[in-house]
Amino acid sequence: MKLTVVGGGSTYTPELIDGFARLRDTLPIAELVLVDPAAERLELVGGLARRIFAKQGHPGRIVTTDDLDKGVEGADAVLLQLRVGGQAARQQDETWPLECGCVGQETTGAGGLAKALRTVPVVLDIAERVRRTNPDAWIIDFTNPVGIVTRALLQADHKAVGLCNVAIGFQRKFAGMLGVAPADVHLDHVGLNHLTWETGVRLGGPEGEDVLPKLLTAHGTDIAADLRLPRPLLDRLGVVPSYYLRYYYAHDEVVRELRTKPSRAAEVAAMERELLDLYADPALDEKPELLARRGGAFYSEAAVDLTASLLGRGGSTYQVVNAYNRGTLPFLPDDAVIEVQAAVGPKGPAPLPVPSVDPLYAGLMASVTTYEDLALRAALHGGRDRVFRALLAHPLVGQYAYAESLTDQLIAHNREHLAWA
């Protein structure tokens, strides 16, 4: 089996490599190709990746290259984990929206739109080159904003599935609290990427006992603290929102915080410099502890399970993925991309039926789905008016004066990445 990681020079890649090494019986990789245009980073990451494989006795070969066409040729699956513009662009995404009193974040609000506009054309170009070279390959997208990027891929008829680590993080956390194996925890996970709620926690499978009420009673305070939301809110809702919902439920509080502390981009950039220094050590043959603070926990396990299932090699029967709605949530268009539990096999994901969704959540999902549709149009066709319309539609922007100012700022900060600008 050949697997290709586009964006393989990411400092996060050793986490993925560690998962591939540990779970090699689930996903037997003969050749792993890391593709990245950043030669110096790729050399450091590739060297550590080979040492991790060697230490754990993995027989697979690791190849590094800046040649995308060569890297994806013959691949069974291609994982996308790229960041157009790097941490410098992320730093901008997280700062200029604050000037209008709006959340500055790389996947949500105005910053998330900027990232989508930079990313969608690049990802579609990569996907077309994958299709020309190897049309049977599955494309697994971990590149944010996952929902919009996955929708772009699916609308262009690519064999694509979106992946996020939020659900597997909750699964692991809840399993620890319940004292059971993660495989025994099935989530009633519903929403859009980075806009999701756990409406049930079932033991044993989709039809198992829902223990979410017991979980909230016994561990609600700890769960709320992790989400940085008040415990009484969780009790009133009776569900567990993802931590991204804090940008909606506590918007003004978040903006005040972001204005008074270093950006996450600055923190990650400093961390990446330290990680690359560590990776340069030829004696290092395992992922360093510092990597746990980089983000993306459990992504490797989720990626292994999803890839194995798509390639018909086992893995979890049910997984939370980003896929076409196609009637699963009747209040959204069929071509909306939703994030739900699905049965995954070689034909792709088949979303499981979802119980009736509370209007409190359905309304916000519908609003953000409209924004995502307008954002994708702006990413595909460009134009200041399309950017303005997407911003005006976003629940975290909404006011025309803000949308006007943010449109100007977005274009000014991203002109080098926007061909139409």
Side-chain angles (χ1 to χ4, degrees):
M1 178 191 302
K2 177 178 178 179
L3 195 65
T4 300
V5 179
V6 179
S10 167
T11 56
Y12 186 73
T13 296
E15 174 70 32
L16 194 59
I17 299 299
D18 178 74
F20 289 157
R22 288 186 293 102
L23 302 173
R24 56 185 175 271
D25 291 340
T26 301
L27 193 67
I29 300 171
E31 182 177 359
L32 177 63
V33 182
L34 306 180
V35 180
D36 204 293
E40 185 176 353
R41 289 170 62 106
L42 186 59
E43 180 181 358
L44 295 176
V45 172
L48 175 57
R50 294 185 184 96
R51 295 193 297 272
I52 291 174
F53 262 32
K55 181 179 182 179
Q56 299 197 29
H58 195 297
R61 183 169 72 107
I62 295 179
V63 178
T64 58
T65 181
D66 62 357
D67 186 331
L68 176 66
D69 295 322
K70 180 180 177 181
V72 301
E73 185 176 3
D76 296 285
V78 178
L79 277 67
L80 305 182
Q81 55 168 38
L82 55 148
R83 182 182 295 279
V84 180
Q87 294 298 333
R90 177 179 181 174
Q91 170 72 14
Q92 294 178 349
D93 294 344
E94 294 180 352
T95 52
W96 54 263
L98 295 174
E99 297 175 18
C100 290
C102 296
V103 162
Q105 209 274 334
E106 65 160 340
T107 64
T108 300
L113 176 60
K115 193 172 195 300
L117 297 184
R118 294 192 304 269
T119 304
V120 166
V122 174
V123 166
L124 288 179
D125 176 66
I126 292 171
E128 285 298 331
R129 292 165 70 177
V130 170
R131 179 152 53 192
R132 288 198 303 267
T133 305
N134 186 17
D136 294 326
W138 276 102
I139 296 175
I140 300 172
D141 178 59
F142 194 65
T143 297
N144 282 317
V146 167
I148 295 173
V149 173
T150 301
R151 189 170 181 179
L153 288 166
L154 292 174
Q155 286 188 356
D157 294 325
H158 293 290
K159 290 178 61 177
V161 182
L163 179 64
C164 181
N165 70 315
V166 167
I168 194 171
F170 275 130
Q171 182 198 43
R172 297 299 197 269
K173 183 184 298 293
F174 295 160
M177 291 175 170
L178 295 167
V180 300
D184 293 330
V185 175
H186 179 95
L187 301 178
D188 289 344
H189 179 101
V190 63
L192 314 177
N193 180 243
H194 290 183
L195 192 85
T196 54
W197 296 261
E198 311 306 327
T199 61
V201 177
R202 302 183 182 277
L203 294 182
E207 305 301 324
E209 177 192 2
D210 182 9
V211 297
L212 179 57
K214 297 177 183 178
L215 194 64
L216 286 172
T217 298
H219 301 283
T221 299
D222 290 338
I223 295 171
D226 286 343
L227 300 174
R228 301 188 65 197
L229 290 170
R231 165 72 187 266
L233 176 63
L234 267 63
D235 291 336
R236 293 178 69 181
L237 297 178
V239 303
V240 178
S242 81
Y243 47 85
Y244 287 93
L245 265 298
R246 186 168 183 262
Y247 296 117
Y248 296 82
Y249 294 162
H251 176 273
D252 293 352
E253 178 183 339
V254 172
V255 168
R256 288 193 295 270
E257 290 175 1
L258 293 175
R259 283 173 163 171
T260 58
K261 68 176 187 179
S263 69
R264 174 62 177 166
E267 294 176 353
V268 171
M271 199 181 305
E272 287 194 334
R273 290 191 292 271
E274 188 174 350
L275 283 169
L276 289 172
D277 287 342
L278 292 173
Y279 296 171
D281 181 358
L284 183 67
D285 56 6
E286 60 186 11
K287 62 178 183 180
E289 291 184 11
L290 177 62
L291 190 54
R293 292 164 41 203
R294 173 66 178 79
F298 306 116
Y299 164 43
S300 58
E301 285 89 340
V304 166
D305 279 350
L306 177 57
T307 306
S309 295
L310 290 171
L311 299 181
R313 297 179 180 271
S316 301
T317 302
Y318 302 114
Q319 293 153 65
V320 173
V321 297
N322 286 260
Y324 266 151
N325 178 38
R326 290 178 174 162
T328 303
L329 301 178
F331 53 88
L332 297 181
D334 283 350
D335 65 350
V337 166
I338 60 175
E339 186 171 291
V340 294
Q341 286 275 6
V344 181
K347 294 183 178 180
L352 302 183
V354 174
S356 177
V357 177
D358 189 309
L360 180 62
Y361 318 129
L364 186 53
M365 278 187 244
S367 179
V368 175
T369 294
T370 297
Y371 152 75
E372 290 190 346
D373 179 65
L374 294 170
L376 183 53
R377 294 183 194 184
L380 292 174
H381 306 295
R384 187 186 186 282
D385 187 59
R386 291 190 180 92
V387 174
F388 171 80
R389 287 169 61 83
L391 287 167
L392 190 62
H394 200 294
L396 298 183
V397 179
Q399 299 183 54
Y400 78 88
Y402 288 176
E404 287 280 12
S405 177
L406 290 169
T407 297
D408 291 338
Q409 294 250 42
L410 186 155
I411 294 173
H413 285 286
N414 291 275
R415 199 175 299 276
E416 66 180 293
H417 300 290
L418 306 177
W420 53 268

